[in-house]
Amino acid sequence: MITLYCSLIPVFIGLDVMYTISEVARRFKISRSTLLYYESIGLLVSSSRTSSNYRLYSEEDIRQMEQISTYRQSGMTLKEIKKLLTSNQKTFVTLLEKQLKSLNKEIQKLRHQQQVIINLLKNNDKLRETRVLNKKMWIALLAAVGLSSDEMQRWHVQFEKMAPEVHQDFLESLGISPQEIRLIRKFSAENGSGKTGEGQ
């Protein structure tokens, strides 16, 4: 989901455009206390102060806050975000890859919990409201468009060949047991490598 920001009414100090803490808070839909907390941990420090000691934020501060907001939407902690803001490219990529791996594990965990609930509910009418495609429905869908058993197997072979990890995720999303997934992927990998060896 993309966050939409409110427009800001700038304050001019010389040639520099500055924004008050209330304006920044309103734009990013956060509280003033959140901005004060960000400053206390060194995440976002206002660039200037008025003669009355009120905080003022520069255009560069706003750009940094936009980065912080984007990273927060990715689920990263403030500690991780602080590292991202000052990291080199290698560390930046490493931190994002770590977060992606963490999210993948969480999705896998949630998918398993969802499947447990589905199994407990069985034929409950509420299942129709669940956005879940199971193995039976998937096979019926492929058969409905005219795919034979051999063509379905070739579909899995190509899926495993092109995107093995995504293939794993997809099979898990269908509620297939880990044992059956291993068999499907093993068959797909062996047949995929066999075809490659034949130069096809």
Side-chain angles (χ1 to χ4, degrees), residues 35-171:
L35 285 169
L36 293 176
Y37 179 68
Y38 285 178
E39 181 164 321
S40 72
I41 63 174
L43 188 62
L44 180 71
V45 179
S46 60
S47 294
S48 184
R49 299 264 183 156
T50 67
S51 56
S52 302
N53 205 35
Y54 290 112
R55 291 170 176 80
L56 290 174
Y57 296 84
S58 66
E59 292 284 2
E60 185 177 344
D61 295 333
I62 297 302
R63 286 192 291 272
Q64 183 164 321
M65 187 59 220
E66 286 173 345
Q67 286 183 291
I68 293 169
S69 182
T70 298
Y71 295 147
R72 286 293 284 162
Q73 290 179 59
S74 76
M76 304 194 81
T77 65
L78 295 179
K79 184 178 180 180
E80 291 168 331
I81 292 172
K82 191 174 180 179
K83 286 183 181 179
L84 276 174
L85 292 173
T86 57
S87 65
N88 55 35
Q89 183 63 23
K90 183 178 180 181
T91 304
F92 177 83
V93 172
T94 300
L95 287 170
L96 289 181
E97 287 177 342
K98 180 183 176 182
Q99 177 65 4
L100 183 59
K101 188 177 293 184
S102 175
L103 289 173
N104 285 338
K105 287 182 179 179
E106 184 64 22
I107 289 170
Q108 186 178 31
K109 178 182 176 182
L110 291 172
R111 188 181 292 132
H112 173 72
Q113 292 173 349
Q114 182 187 52
Q115 195 58 46
V116 169
I117 293 173
I118 288 171
N119 291 336
L120 290 172
L121 288 174
K122 294 182 179 178
N123 296 321
N124 189 294
D125 289 339
K126 283 292 180 182
L127 289 179
R128 296 175 184 176
E129 302 173 11
T130 307
R131 299 176 183 178
V132 174
L133 180 67
N134 58 31
K135 177 185 174 183
K136 184 178 179 181
M137 293 167 63
W138 177 244
I139 292 175
L141 179 61
L142 293 181
V145 297
L147 267 65
S148 65
S149 295
D150 287 343
E151 289 170 328
M152 291 181 194
Q153 289 178 342
R154 286 199 294 273
W155 183 88
H156 280 291
V157 168
Q158 288 303 314
F159 202 160
E160 181 69 24
K161 192 174 180 180
M162 295 176 67
E165 295 304 318
V166 180
H167 191 203
Q168 171 78 22
D169 290 342
F170 176 74
L171 294 172

Side-chain angles (χ1 to χ4, degrees), residues 181-199:
I181 289 176
R182 281 195 293 271
L183 290 174
I184 292 172
R185 293 194 63 193
K186 181 181 179 182
F187 170 87
S188 301
E190 288 174 349
N191 281 268
S193 59
K195 287 186 178 182
T196 302
E198 294 168 10

